[in-house]
Amino acid sequence: MNATTSAYRPLADRMRPQTLDDFIGQEHLLGPGKPLRLAIARGQLHSMVFWGAPGCGKTTLARLVTSSCNAQFLTLSAVLGGVKEIRAAITQARQYRQVYDRDTVLFIDEAHRFNKSQQDAFLPHVEDGTITFVGATTENPSFELNNALLSRVRVYVLKPLGAADLAQIIRQGLQDPERGLGSSGLDITDAALELLAGSADGDARRALNLLEIAADLAPAQELTEELVGEVIGGAGYRRFDKGGDAFYEQISALHKSVRGSAPDAALYWFARMLDGGCDPLYIARRVVRMASEDIGNADPRSLRLALDAWETQERLGSPEGELAIAQAVVYLACAPKSNAVYKAYNAVMQDVKAGTSPEVPIHLRNAPARLLKELGYGKEYRYAHDEPDAYAAGENYFPDDMEPRQYYHPTSRGLEIQIAEKLARLRQLDKETV
């Protein structure tokens, strides 16, 4: 260790890049000629939000932006702070401007945790230049930050670090003699480095934290694959948030894999969600939706199988229920696809909401009472079962003053092939009757 116990700082904190040249990753933002790189190099401050997974460099970038512009850096956590703390930071920024005539960057960690009124508290001070707002969030700013604040900032999307980037960061942590573990003389095998970088799952902070733990436990001068495996605990680490972006991105990937008839990919995303802690019943409900939205009458058995899987999960729990859901996922992915009912439903709902309320035609009304019969309810109704082929050719079932429309257009897949053929035959009978 390069620090006394009383002044201990974690390796991940000590190894924060001091300059932009030391920063690893995010080439799409910081590569030569990229807008953020140019803005930092020129000292051009502007309010911004860094959106990305944990450990991808959001806080470090905020500090580098501040130092490049020779500004004061104030930090506030949305988890611990509120309007009172915001006002105190604004007062400090004003005093700093009066004394030094320099800008202040107010860095807000976990910015998505501030509510609307707290976010609104920043607006006038961003507007008049008292502060440059720099926020960090792991959640989608479009959903978590209000429009007034979003309109005053530029959003930069940071990507999880790749395995090669993490391996480079780990080696720096091992070799740096001043801030890292260079004075310890430790080395790491290629296999251990690959395992450590992979287990961090794009998170540099986690990679360095695991490295520091492994270094403390190393019996010799080399970090081996076996030792790293013990530190990781075998389970590794995968990003997932039951209510965050990863959750909705993965359920979207599962749904699209089923829709795209890719059973293996669908199983993969199903397993990823379970591994991340997702409630299997949530997935079961979504699978029922897939059965109706993307398969429909091309294979009506899909809906029944999805409902059976849901019921199995409720009755048996894990892991038996999850296997039933997996069975449904694979079946739905392999089934013929049709969104004809989904499209028809949306189209008719749009017409109904945009129209008036025409009455039910007299011949389609029930007449359970004598008065209703005297008023003609049900008169001239043609009972389909009494007609040839149980079809009343030429009969109209729409309101009298509404032009009949075709909402449902069966596809040429699965059972809908036969449905389309039958409907075409019935429509031909209608034409012959007219």
Side-chain angles (χ1 to χ4, degrees), residues 134-145:
V134 178
T137 178
T138 57
E139 303 296 329
N140 191 329
S142 299
F143 303 134
E144 303 298 337
L145 300 183

Side-chain angles (χ1 to χ4, degrees), residues 14-31:
R14 302 199 307 270
M15 289 302 299
R16 285 188 186 277
Q18 304 298 305
T19 67
L20 204 56
D21 292 333
D22 296 334
F23 195 92
I24 297 173
Q26 312 306 334
E27 289 297 318
H28 64 295
L29 298 178
L30 301 173

Side-chain angles (χ1 to χ4, degrees), residues 219-235:
Q221 292 301 104
E222 187 175 62
L223 301 179
T224 63
E225 184 179 12
E226 181 181 6
L227 174 62
V228 170
E230 291 177 358
V231 171
I232 294 170

Side-chain angles (χ1 to χ4, degrees), residues 183-433:
S183 60
S184 67
L186 277 173
D187 198 6
I188 187 170
T189 66
D190 290 341
L193 179 63
E194 181 179 352
L195 178 60
L196 188 57
S199 68
D201 201 29
D203 186 335
R205 184 184 304 107
R206 177 174 170 82
L208 291 173
N209 287 341
L210 290 172
L211 172 63
E212 189 170 22
I213 295 172
D216 288 339
L217 298 176
Q221 292 301 104
E222 187 175 62
L223 301 179
T224 63
E225 184 179 12
E226 181 181 6
L227 174 62
V228 170
E230 291 177 358
V231 171
I232 294 170
Y237 168 78
R238 288 159 294 280
R239 291 184 305 278
F240 189 83
D241 182 346
K242 295 180 186 179
D245 287 331
F247 174 88
Y248 293 107
E249 289 167 0
Q250 290 180 22
I251 192 62
S252 175
L254 170 59
H255 194 148
K256 289 180 171 64
S257 298
V258 169
R259 180 183 295 151
S261 299
D264 298 306
L267 273 179
Y268 170 80
W269 292 115
F270 173 60
R272 278 283 301 274
M273 296 195 74
L274 291 180
D275 178 72
C278 180
D279 183 356
L281 288 174
Y282 172 85
I283 303 177
R285 290 193 295 271
R286 187 64 176 252
V287 170
V288 170
R289 174 183 169 181
M290 297 174 199
S292 285
E293 179 179 338
D294 294 296
I295 298 168
N297 288 334
D299 187 349
R301 295 170 296 183
S302 295
L303 181 57
R304 183 64 262 170
L305 185 63
L307 288 168
D308 287 343
W310 186 354
E311 182 180 359
T312 302
Q313 178 64 43
E314 288 183 325
R315 287 176 175 267
L316 300 183
S318 299
E320 293 87 349
E322 292 160 8
L323 180 59
I325 299 173
Q327 178 185 348
V329 165
V330 171
Y331 186 91
L332 267 60
C334 298
K337 302 300 184 295
S338 171
N339 68 344
V341 173
Y342 177 74
K343 291 170 66 176
Y345 173 78
N346 288 334
V348 74
M349 284 299 297
Q350 183 177 354
D351 276 2
V352 167
K353 291 179 180 179
T356 57
S357 301
E359 293 184 345
V360 175
I362 291 290
H363 71 285
L364 294 182
R365 300 182 191 183
N366 278 336
R370 178 179 177 181
L371 173 62
L372 300 180
K373 291 181 180 179
E374 292 175 351
L375 292 174
Y377 281 32
K379 188 178 181 181
E380 298 182 359
Y381 169 64
R382 296 167 62 189
Y383 187 57
H385 292 288
D386 292 339
E387 302 280 342
D389 295 323
Y391 181 68
E395 181 66 288
N396 177 44
Y397 296 94
F398 279 92
D400 291 332
D401 56 351
M402 179 179 175
E403 188 69 25
R405 282 196 58 183
Q406 182 181 352
Y407 293 104
Y408 177 48
H409 298 270
T411 66
S412 57
R413 294 180 291 278
L415 181 63
E416 283 195 323
I417 296 174
Q418 299 177 47
I419 294 175
E421 291 173 350
K422 177 180 179 179
L423 290 180
R425 185 170 66 254
L426 297 181
R427 291 190 181 103
Q428 182 60 37
L429 291 174
D430 288 340
K431 291 180 181 179
E432 293 173 359
T433 300

